[in-house]
Amino acid sequence: MKENGYYVLSKREGIEEPYHWVLKAANNEVILTSENYTSKHGALNGIESVRKNCEEDENYQRLEAKDGSPYFNLRAKNHEVIGKSEMYSSKQARDNGIESVKKHGITLVLVDETSSSDKGSATSAAATVTVKPERSSAKRYA
């Protein structure tokens, strides 16, 4: 089911913007991380924006941290950052990370950990669902 990558949606209690997602490659490595969202709906819209924007190379900002570590941001058409990468050891490794997001970002597989009551346990229950993109009048990233 997860051979093409998957999203993990989680919620941290006690903070103003508790929802957060990561995109993982088939090998379970995190390849893209979201900002925090105030609502689950907002986080799901962020995931949908990755799906819509991840395949186009011009949506990637190739950047360098102050210490020289390469990383990237994925941006929507309106130039808003949708997700950020980890810091990489080389530009080639960063470019491989971008290619991985292009490949895996379109996945419809979502592991929803937001309904799990025991966040501290690796064995806590999580729902894995295949999500069809919703088409509504709700505000979305471009």
Side-chain angles (χ1 to χ4, degrees), residues 27-94:
N27 64 2
N28 299 315
E29 294 276 334
V30 173
I31 55 176
L32 196 67
T33 302
S34 78
E35 65 182 359
N36 290 335
Y37 296 89
T38 56
S39 70
K40 184 174 182 176
H41 180 75
L44 292 172
N45 279 345
I47 290 170
E48 178 62 17
S49 186
V50 173
R51 290 180 181 134
K52 291 185 339 189
N53 291 285
C54 69
E55 295 182 292
E56 296 180 40
D57 193 66
E58 64 268 12
N59 294 334
Y60 292 88
Q61 282 181 297
R62 289 161 175 85
L63 303 164
E64 208 171 273
K66 289 181 182 178
D67 70 358
S69 300
Y71 71 101
F72 66 87
N73 290 337
L74 173 61
R75 299 187 307 174
K77 296 289 184 211
N78 64 4
H79 302 288
E80 188 167 331
V81 174
I82 309 166
K84 297 182 178 194
S85 75
E86 65 180 356
M87 297 295 165
Y88 290 95
S89 58
S90 69
K91 290 180 180 180
Q92 181 61 50
R94 178 198 56 208

Side-chain angles (χ1 to χ4, degrees), residues 69-132:
S69 300
Y71 71 101
F72 66 87
N73 290 337
L74 173 61
R75 299 187 307 174
K77 296 289 184 211
N78 64 4
H79 302 288
E80 188 167 331
V81 174
I82 309 166
K84 297 182 178 194
S85 75
E86 65 180 356
M87 297 295 165
Y88 290 95
S89 58
S90 69
K91 290 180 180 180
Q92 181 61 50
R94 178 198 56 208
D95 292 345
N96 290 344
I98 290 170
E99 291 307 311
S100 187
V101 173
K102 287 178 182 180
K103 176 181 177 184
H104 299 298
I106 60 172
T107 184
L108 297 178
V109 178
L110 170 67
V111 177
D112 186 346
E113 297 179 343
T114 62
S115 59
S116 175
S117 60
D118 183 10
K119 287 296 179 205
S121 170
T123 60
S124 60
T128 301
V129 293
T130 301
V131 186
K132 299 224 187 246

